Every structure is written in C-alpha cells, then in structure tokens.
Amino acid sequence: MKHLTSMATGALLGLAALSGPALAQGSNASLTIVREVDSDRYDPHRSTARAASEILFMMGDTLVSLDHDMATIKPGIATSWTTSPDGKTYTFKLRNDVSFCDGKKLTAQDVAYSIKRWIDPATRSPVAWRAGQVEDVVATDDTTIEYKLKAPFSELLYQLTQSFAVIVDKANVEALGADFGVKGFNGTGPYCWGDWKPRNEFRLKKHAAYKWGPPIYENKGAAQIEEIVWRIVPEENTRLAAVMTNQSQVTQYVPYSGMAQLRANRNLKVIESKEAFWTYFVGFKIDKEGVNDPAVRRAIVMAVDQKAIADNLYFGEVEPAYSYISTEALDWNKALTSKLIKTDVAEANKVLDAAGWVKGADGFRMKDGKKLSPIVYGFTGSTWQKLMEAIQGDLRKIGVDLRIQLFDATIAWGKLATQEFDMFGMSFPYISAGDALNLYFRSTNAPTPNRMNWKDARTDELLTKGSSALNDADRAAAYGEVLTQVHEAAVWLPLYHEPMKIAASARLAPFKAHNIYGCGLYKGLDLKFVR
Amino acid sequence: MADATLPAAPARRRRIASPMLRRILRDRLALAAAILLGLICIAAILAPWLAPFDPYNTTRRPFVPPRWSEGSLPQYWLGTDGQGRDMLSRLLYGTRLTLVMGLASVIVGGGIGALFGLLSAYYRRIDPYVMRFADILLSFPAILLGLALAAVVGPGLTAIVIALSIATIPDVARITRSAAIVVMGQDYMEAGRAVGLSDRTLIWRYLALNCLSSVFVFLTLRFGQIILIGAALSFLGLGVRPPEAELGMMASLGRDALFFAPHIAMLPSLMIVMIVLCANVLGDALRDLLDPRLRNT
C-alpha cells in the first residue's frame, strides 16, 4: 500500500511539475495562487461566481469594507458615512486621493455611475436586489455621495462590501462594451488587470499608487507582491501537489484529505478563520408529494448524520451544520441553538411510523400506495456525489429511497429552476442572517432561488420588517423569528458549514484569512514573502 | 438421401471440433483468459450470494485498507470505500453492472449494425445511403454521444447503453457489409436465387449465417473497447445512478482518495483491465480459430 501511495504521489507531482514553470523564489516578484474554476467574465455587476469575486476584490474597491470578524463595517473608498433618521438616506464622504489603474482620479460621479449601472435593468445583474430599493444615488460634490432608498435597508452597508459593489470606471465600461470584464477592467484596487487566459490563468499587476486599502490590514500602502498569478488547476490532488512542490504559494482550494500532510510540512502553514459562512444544505420542495409532509422532512433531517459526514468525508475539517446559517453569523437567533434538530435515527423511524409511512418488503416506506422515494437534484463533481451518497445511505436506514440525479453545472442551474425535483443540493455564502433569508425565503424569489416554494405571508412581512429595521435589535428580532419559522418547518437539511482554510508557503508573512463571499485572500494586501 | 447424410453429420462435427478443441487447449493464454473471464462472469452473476455485505450500506468505517495492509479490519477483505461500504461487495456488483452494460451495448449495437450491413450488401441500391449514415455516426465519438444523451435523458445506464450501442453500429455495419459482399459473390447465392428462394431466406439462412463468424470475432474484440468507453463515461459522471456500483464510477470516486486510500480507485481499475484483457485475448484467439487459413494448422 505504501508503494502504491508513493506511486500515486509521484504521478501527481509529475503532473504538477508540468502545470507551469517554477517561480522566482525568495522575492516579492510573483506569487501563484491555484484554484479550481475560472469565471466567465469579471464584470462586478454580472458575475456572481466566487471565482469572479476573488479577482474583483483585488482589482476594485468598495465604499465600505468588512472586517475579518465578518460583522464590523470598516471604511473603504468612503472614510465616513451617516444615515438619516428614517434610514432611507446614506451619505458617504469619500477619500480624495483614490485613482484608477490608468491614473485617472476617482470622483463621486464614478460611484454614482457604478451603483446605477448595478441596478439598471439593462445590465441584467442577477444581484441587483442586493443594492436595496434605490430611489437615486447622487454625487453632491466630488467627494460626497447620497444613497437614497425607497425603503430602509438595514443590510445595505454589508451588501456594499461585496464585490458587486466594486466601483467601475464609466469610460472603461463604455469603451469595452460587451467586452467589459472580459478584455479589461480599470479598477481602483491594489492590483490591476494584467492578462487573462480564460480557464488557464489570470495575471494581476501591482497598482503602485494604491494607499487607500481597508484599515483591517497591517499594510497601509500598495500591495507588496509585484504580480499575482491566479492559475486554474481543476483536479484537487494536483492543487495539493502544486502547493507541496511550491508551484503555488497560497491557495484555499486544497482537499481536506491533504490537510494533515500540509500541517506536517515545515515549508507550509495552514491559515484558518473560525467563521464558517459558507453553508452546504439540501432543500425540500415543500409542495411536492412525500416531502410536503412535515414529518417526512423532519425524519430526513434527523436521519442524516452530519457529524459522520464531517468526519468521514471531510476528515473533521468542516463544521457539521444543524442550523441553516452559521451560529456565528450576524443576527443568528441564539434561542434557536438548543432547539435544532440533531441526528437520531431511532426517533426518525418513530416519526415516520407515527405519520403512517409503513415499511414494505423492500425496506422502503409507503403510504396510500405511494413509495417514499424523493428525487434530489444536484451538481456533478466529487463534492455532491459524495454528499448525496452519504445522505442516501443514511436515508436507507429509515426506509427512504433517495434517488440521486446530478447534472453538469452547464445544465444544472436550468434544471434547478424547474419543479421536477423533490429535493436539491446547494451551497451558498452569506454575511448575515438577513442576507441568507432574504435570498432564499422570500415568496417573490420562488421558483429560484426560493426552490423550496416557501410562500408564507408572515415570513415576507418579517423579512421586510428586518430589512427595513432602523436598529440592530429590531432587525435581529425580525430575522430571528423567520429563522425559527423555517427551522421548525424543516425546510432544509443543513449539512455543513465550510470554514476558510488557506494553505500557504511558510515563506509568506503571517496574514489573516477572510471569509467575505468565500474569498479567503480578500484584497491580499498583507501578502508578502519574508524569506 | 436422409439416411445417407445423417451418419455423416457427427463425423463432420468431430473433424471440425477436434482440431478446434486442440487449438484452444494449445493456446494457453487464450485458455487462461477464458477461465479468468468465466470466473469473473460467475462471480458477477452470483454477486448477491457471494457479496459478504450489502454493497449500498454505508458505515462509519470509511477508507479501511485491504486485508494485506496495515490498519485493515478482518471482515473487509478488500477494505471499504469513502462511504464505509465494503469494497469486495461493491466490486462484485460493479463488475456485474459493467458486464451487463458491455453485453447489452454489444448485442443491441451489434444487432442493428449487422442488420444494416446485411441489407446494405444485399440491396445494393440502399448501400450508399446506409454507408453514408454509418459515416455520420462514425463522426460522433462515443463520449460526445454519451454527453449529449445524458443532457437529454439524464445520466444513467439507459443513456450509456444507447450511446455505446450507437457507437458500435457503424463499425459492425461496415464489417458485416464487407463480409456479406464476399458471400454475395458465391455460387450458392446465385443458386438460391435461381431456385426461387425468397429474399428473407437468402438473407437469413445464407448471407447472415456465413457472415456470423466475422461479426462475432469483431464483437468479441469490441466488447473490451465498449467496457473501456463505458467506464470512461461512468468516470465522467454519466454512468449509473448512485448507489449502484459500476467499475468506472467506483474508480472515479476513488480518485480523490488516491493519496491515502489508493485501493478505492485501483481495485475497480484492475478489474476493468482484467476484463478488457481477457476479452481481447479471447477475441484474438477466436479470430485465429475461425480463420479457415489457420483451421488445419
């Protein structure tokens, strides 16, 4: 077996050696980051993939930034801001020393243009809702922005930290047209667009004039690495080999199976953040036969052993999830923590027995002549394949015959917008309870992303109340009640919260892992080699 | 007449069978391949009785190595996979499904292809159309067909068998046609026509039976390729649905654990290699056996 292992390791190291030339060592000339997938474009208003956000955070800036605790709003382009008593007008005071990569000075007009482009129906931004119900965004002078809303939006500052709120250059957008974010992007971030070879690599060049980074970094000046190369390596073991052979100096995309190896390697370190704001879950379409029975949903949630999934599939590196969002997230309802459904197979069987679902000769349950055999849709790839098989195995123990149907990402999103399935697998990043709940549980968001078809007037009312709350307590109370509602109805089967774990070369100076939209390096301002 | 021919039949059979048997027994490699493939087939057929565990039952003991490795557990001869399922049981069930997939594709694709080839050789006016159709089918790689079918009907055994069958049709059609054209030139075909035999009789009794050996040899060789393409499609996630075990899919699932539990990918891969190797060796031996030029050597 050891021989086989060394053969496999050798093969993978060989592959890694082919993936690219070794980099100049011991200098800050260049740093290579390997990751799994590329984005189709880098337009902040049209790209919602994490792969796009990772680079947009480095190429652009936002009005406000988010601290490592994922809860504290810090200055960004704006040095300060005030909110009107009715919560409808935010006034941002901007820095006067910000410039784009092409040297042009940033003004409030650029900010107003960016927000307006974000919400313009012609832009077809899938995340326009994140900007709130905007009435107008006005540049009252070169350094002042008035952000006027039709209704208060308590999430606004958090949403403005996201990559969708990156400030763009109007001239650049108009010059590039449909190629904006494909052939170029003129931002104000610590790095500038270098060269993009789709599905291969993205080169970013240092923005020498940069000195307006978020105050969460020790480095207050320009980036310390001259060039960052984001390289696509789809296979996870090859990424692991790339880090171990110094072909890549930092990445958050290493398999959990390799964490022990990474930690044992003196040339590497693993940087972790305790916040895990990326959650994997399986949702129920609550109006489909079988899973429309709350007892069935409850029993399914009880039958799945999240701890075993975390231990067996992820080597204990992820946090088993019993809540729909991390209990560390802003506005999590702490009263709910003790009431969460935990794994209990015997109880799950009792719940189904009591609900009239009787086990047949094949071991699967029936009721009124209908077999309890829900179909679940998900994405192809080892993550969901493994997860679904684990869930399927657990559900067999309570007599539920889960049928798994996985699709390639190119067709999966279309399939997930249909009413064909009973359950679906999904994962998502969030910054707060409101962020997650408004996305998934608003009745107007059915059939997607509210694929559960959860349509509840009280939920809608509470979500509106939460998003228009004028203080933290009211917002938390409203969202807390929605959290109680949906958890009690067992609308989701939570699986695990994915923590941020970054493998980095020991030659890199210490830096903190971020968790914003699952982008561990955020702006990368503290990245530098110390030896 | 009948009395005169009847006694001759066993003698003829003996004349042909004895050298064939002698040659099979003389070809040790083919014999070994036949025995091994036979054993694999028997194990696959008897999987429900031979498998020590339920192949779908997940346990809390994932990545257990095989018996010969450190850290193994006595009840799991070949260890467990990433979901804690018994590898031996899954290997038996996986082989069964892989063989079914290969056989079904060879029978369906081979049957349709042979029919096209025979008709194309017999009715020469349809020949150009049938062959151009075969050319069109040949221009689609099986993997591409599988991807397209999986997109339409969803991944699964049906999609994979259809894709592999379609991929088999043009090759078989061409082989059958070339063999049938030679048969068409034989005197007994002309004689059959002269005595007024129907097209149906001529095609089935004379043409098809005389082409059978060529097609059979080709399909035996094709079987190995089919297994490989099927495994590749399953490896890409287009194969059977979980929790069913299929060798290609098992190898794919083991890929992520290659560093620390190589047996999960290696064992099904080895099984694929064995099946394909046996099928190819047997195909070669069968070709030699049925070749009239080698018959009396």
Side-chain angles (χ1 to χ4, degrees):
Chain A
M1 189 62 74
K2 277 178 185 167
H3 183 59
L4 288 176
T5 310
S6 57
M7 274 171 65
T9 311
L12 288 166
L13 295 189
L15 272 177
L18 291 171
S19 69
L23 297 160
Q25 308 298 312
S27 75
N28 284 315
S30 183
L31 176 136
T32 299
I33 308 166
V34 286
R35 58 180 182 158
E36 187 175 4
V37 290
D38 206 346
S39 177
D40 59 341
R41 60 174 63 236
Y42 291 90
D43 177 340
H45 304 142
R46 294 180 59 191
S47 312
T48 58
R50 166 159 61 175
S53 297
E54 281 174 326
I55 284 178
L56 284 165
F57 278 131
M58 289 193 168
M59 291 199 300
D61 282 311
T62 45
L63 279 172
V64 282
S65 61
L66 191 62
D67 205 347
H68 289 99
D69 65 2
M70 292 290 285
T72 313
I73 300 292
K74 294 279 187 179
I77 297 279
T79 50
S80 62
W81 55 92
T82 54
T83 314
S84 64
D86 65 357
K88 290 184 182 174
T89 304
Y90 287 71
T91 307
F92 295 93
K93 201 71 192 160
L94 310 186
R95 292 180 70 120
N96 198 23
D97 56 354
V98 179
S99 62
F100 287 98
C101 279
D102 67 354
K104 190 173 72 181
K105 194 174 173 188
L106 176 136
T107 66
Q109 281 76 20
D110 294 308
V111 177
Y113 170 75
S114 300
I115 308 293
K116 284 178 178 170
R117 181 177 183 269
W118 181 10
I119 57 170
D120 185 353
T123 308
R124 289 180 286 120
S125 172
V127 285
W129 63 272
R130 288 179 181 268
Q133 296 177 53
V134 180
E135 187 177 293
D136 202 2
V137 181
V138 184
T140 51
D141 60 47
D142 273 1
T143 56
T144 311
I145 275 286
E146 270 188 17
Y147 198 114
K148 295 176 182 171
L149 295 161
K150 290 173 190 160
F153 183 34
S154 56
E155 294 280 318
L156 182 66
L157 291 176
Y158 292 98
Q159 296 296 351
L160 291 180
T161 65
Q162 300 287 327
S163 61
F164 321 111
V166 156
I167 310 304
V168 299
D169 170 20
K170 183 181 178 185
N172 181 235
V173 173
E174 288 174 351
L176 290 173
D179 287 332
F180 176 66
V182 176
K183 290 191 173 164
F185 176 90
N186 188 30
T188 65
Y191 289 91
C192 299
W193 181 290
D195 180 33
W196 180 33
K197 292 177 183 147
R199 296 178 297 286
N200 184 3
E201 64 177 31
F202 201 127
R203 286 179 183 270
L204 294 172
K205 305 282 182 197
K206 173 179 166 179
H207 187 177
Y210 195 82
K211 56 182 176 186
W212 45 89
I216 63 170
Y217 289 103
E218 284 181 16
N219 172 25
K220 306 296 177 198
Q224 297 159 99
I225 305 282
E226 294 296 321
E227 182 187 57
I228 286 187
V229 183
W230 288 85
R231 186 165 289 150
I232 307 298
V233 179
E235 215 286 312
E236 62 179 21
N237 281 319
T238 314
R239 289 195 296 275
L240 177 63
V243 177
M244 295 185 77
T245 53
N246 199 33
Q247 296 293 318
S248 167
Q249 292 75 44
V250 60
T251 179
Q252 67 183 65
Y253 298 101
V254 283
Y256 293 121
S257 58
M259 282 294 170
Q261 271 175 291
L262 292 172
R263 290 193 183 99
N265 191 324
R266 282 187 308 157
N267 297 322
L268 296 168
K269 56 188 170 186
V270 177
I271 297 165
E272 306 182 31
S273 104
K274 70 180 174 64
E275 286 81 19
F277 289 0
W278 191 297
T279 298
Y280 284 70
F281 70 95
V282 167
F284 298 99
K285 212 174 249 310
I286 58 166
D287 49 3
K288 290 298 284 283
E289 195 172 23
V291 293
N292 61 356
D293 183 346
V296 169
R297 300 198 299 267
R298 203 170 174 78
I300 288 175
V301 177
M302 263 187 236
V304 173
D305 190 342
Q306 289 94 333
K307 173 82 169 61
I309 287 176
D311 289 345
N312 293 355
L313 303 186
Y314 299 103
F315 308 90
E317 298 283 350
V318 300
E319 186 191 332
Y322 304 98
S323 54
Y324 298 1
I325 56 167
S326 167
T327 52
E328 300 290 322
L330 183 73
D331 293 338
W332 165 252
N333 183 354
K334 289 190 168 56
L336 201 54
T337 308
S338 60
K339 296 176 190 163
L340 296 171
I341 303 172
K342 295 287 174 70
T343 311
D344 189 340
V345 180
E347 185 60 28
N349 272 309
K350 279 185 202 165
V351 167
L352 287 175
D353 289 340
W357 291 93
V358 183
K359 272 191 182 175
D362 59 356
F364 294 116
R365 291 181 185 268
M366 307 265 291
K367 186 178 177 181
D368 303 328
K370 294 275 169 63
K371 189 178 176 185
L372 189 48
S373 179
I375 185 159
V376 62
Y377 277 12
F379 297 86
T380 50
S382 64
T383 301
W384 280 107
Q385 172 99 21
K386 284 189 286 194
L387 275 173
M388 293 299 191
E389 286 199 39
I391 296 167
Q392 188 181 49
D394 284 342
L395 296 191
R396 285 171 70 88
K397 289 165 189 158
I398 59 162
V400 177
D401 178 23
L402 184 70
R403 289 173 293 148
I404 302 170
Q405 184 80 69
L406 305 179
F407 299 95
D408 183 74
T410 50
I411 46 173
W413 291 107
K415 286 283 185 185
L416 286 166
T418 67
Q419 300 293 333
E420 298 167 0
F421 52 91
D422 305 306
M423 295 159 69
F424 65 97
M426 188 59 61
S427 71
F428 74 112
Y430 48 89
I431 38 176
S432 64
D435 190 23
L437 296 173
N438 277 297
L439 177 65
Y440 282 109
F441 292 98
R442 270 195 188 274
S443 56
T444 47
N445 282 357
T448 178
N450 179 355
R451 300 174 185 88
M452 300 79 64
N453 291 338
W454 176 265
K455 291 169 187 168
D456 184 89
R458 178 69 183 149
T459 302
D460 288 341
E461 186 189 321
L462 286 165
L463 288 176
T464 305
K465 200 172 159 188
S467 68
S468 59
L470 296 177
N471 61 66
D472 293 350
D474 288 350
R475 188 190 62 221
Y479 289 149
E481 197 177 330
V482 178
L483 283 167
T484 306
Q485 263 191 318
V486 293
H487 278 77
E488 280 178 354
V491 187
W492 285 2
L493 156 62
L495 296 172
Y496 66 89
H497 304 304
E498 185 179 74
M500 181 56 64
K501 299 195 183 210
I502 302 174
S505 163
R507 296 186 300 110
L508 281 171
F511 66 89
K512 282 186 186 171
H514 212 294
N515 227 320
I516 186 164
Y517 209 67
C519 304
L521 298 174
Y522 195 20
K523 303 191 92 66
L525 275 168
D526 283 340
L527 289 174
K528 69 171 176 183
F529 290 104
V530 286
R531 56 187 167 91
Chain B
M1 190 72 168
D3 287 342
T5 51
L6 269 176
R12 226 177 76 190
R13 271 206 298 278
R14 270 202 304 277
R15 274 205 308 277
I16 296 170
S18 299
M20 276 179 83
L21 196 64
R22 270 208 309 276
R23 282 178 48 208
I24 288 174
L25 292 172
R26 210 165 51 197
D27 190 346
R28 297 285 165 84
L29 191 63
L31 190 66
I35 292 170
L36 189 56
L37 194 59
L39 286 175
I40 290 172
C41 289
I42 290 168
I45 292 164
L46 299 178
W49 295 276
L50 291 178
F53 292 96
D54 177 353
Y56 313 128
N57 187 37
T58 55
T59 68
R60 302 289 168 251
R61 287 186 288 274
F63 306 115
V64 173
R67 280 290 287 269
W68 58 83
S69 303
E70 202 180 324
S72 63
L73 293 173
Q75 65 270 42
Y76 299 115
W77 280 87
L78 297 180
T80 63
D81 69 1
Q83 304 279 357
R85 294 172 295 204
D86 178 45
M87 276 301 289
L88 176 58
S89 307
R90 286 186 68 76
L91 211 57
L92 289 166
Y93 276 83
T95 305
R96 191 155 110 135
L97 209 58
T98 301
L99 290 173
V100 165
M101 182 184 75
L103 277 174
S105 308
V106 158
I107 291 168
V108 174
I112 297 172
L115 182 69
F116 280 164
L118 289 174
L119 295 178
S120 184
Y122 192 82
Y123 300 109
R124 298 312 301 267
R125 64 181 183 281
I126 64 163
D127 182 41
Y129 304 107
V130 174
M131 285 303 108
R132 292 305 77 77
F133 179 62
D135 288 343
I136 292 168
L137 287 183
L138 271 175
S139 62
F140 289 102
I143 301 272
L144 193 67
L145 267 175
L147 281 167
L149 277 164
V152 177
V153 299
L157 192 63
T158 315
I160 227 168
V161 168
I162 295 173
L164 294 175
S165 300
I166 293 175
T168 307
I169 290 172
D171 288 335
V172 179
R174 281 181 172 279
I175 296 280
T176 313
R177 175 183 171 272
S178 60
I181 282 174
V182 175
V183 176
M184 285 294 289
Q186 300 296 315
D187 292 343
Y188 55 79
M189 290 299 289
E190 283 301 315
R193 261 192 231 278
V195 296
L197 291 178
S198 67
D199 284 358
R200 198 170 152 181
T201 311
L202 279 169
I203 290 172
W204 295 120
R205 192 168 294 172
Y206 291 84
L207 197 56
L209 290 180
N210 279 295
C211 296
L212 201 61
S213 62
S214 308
V215 176
F216 190 64
V217 168
F218 177 76
L219 287 179
T220 317
L221 291 166
R222 181 76 187 173
F223 179 71
Q225 294 171 12
I226 289 283
I227 296 280
L228 279 181
I229 301 169
L233 284 167
S234 287
F235 189 85
L236 293 173
L238 307 168
V240 295
R241 286 187 194 178
E244 296 286 350
E246 196 279 329
L247 296 178
M249 193 175 80
M250 287 170 70
S252 169
L253 280 176
R255 191 178 38 168
D256 294 345
L258 213 52
F259 271 123
F260 57 95
H263 70 284
I264 300 173
M266 296 274 183
L267 291 172
S269 304
L270 276 175
M271 185 59 94
I272 294 171
V273 169
M274 276 200 289
I275 295 170
V276 174
L277 203 61
C278 289
N280 285 349
V281 169
L282 274 178
D284 281 344
L286 208 61
R287 185 196 55 210
D288 296 346
L289 207 66
L290 295 173
D291 189 339
R293 285 165 298 184
L294 300 171
R295 194 169 282 173
N296 294 319
T297 58

